[in-house]
Amino acid sequence: MGSFLKELLGELVGEAMLTVVACLAVAGLALAFVWGWERNPLATAGTGGALLAFLGYGAWELFRPARPGRRGRLATVAAVTFAVAAVLIAYAWSCNCS
């Protein structure tokens, strides 16, 4: 019974930490976007587009059929970035940080 409570408490704390990090990341991105848009809308849109293209490349690298050979560093970084962003989006979607 003690190990069950310990595991349950660990999962609850971990879940709460991930939710807080996700909400803070969403708030930080929103603030950065607003600040950038006030300074230079064209640069903000270009940076946002480049970030979306990089995340799209990561998704493509993650879900495409495997081929023999070594995956490049950029492809690995893009795939990991996409995976982390997907997890943070999933947790931020469920938080009530409006």
Side-chain angles (χ1 to χ4, degrees):
M1 185 72 171
S3 66
F4 171 75
L5 288 176
K6 192 177 191 180
E7 183 179 343
L8 179 67
L9 183 63
E11 285 184 20
L12 288 174
V13 168
E15 186 94 15
M17 286 175 42
L18 273 174
T19 302
V20 166
V21 167
C23 286
L24 288 175
V26 168
L29 283 173
L31 286 173
F33 180 79
V34 169
W35 179 81
W37 194 262
E38 289 174 355
R39 302 285 184 259
N40 190 345
L42 185 61
T44 303
T47 303
L51 180 63
L52 286 176
F54 186 70
L55 288 174
Y57 174 62
W60 180 73
E61 281 292 330
L62 195 61
F63 294 120
R64 74 182 175 123
R67 63 177 182 189
R70 195 177 123 209
R71 182 185 284 190
R73 289 182 191 152
L74 180 64
T76 303
V77 170
V80 168
T81 304
F82 173 76
V84 169
V87 168
L88 287 179
I89 289 170
Y91 276 96
W93 194 275
S94 66
C95 81
N96 296 323
C97 51
S98 54

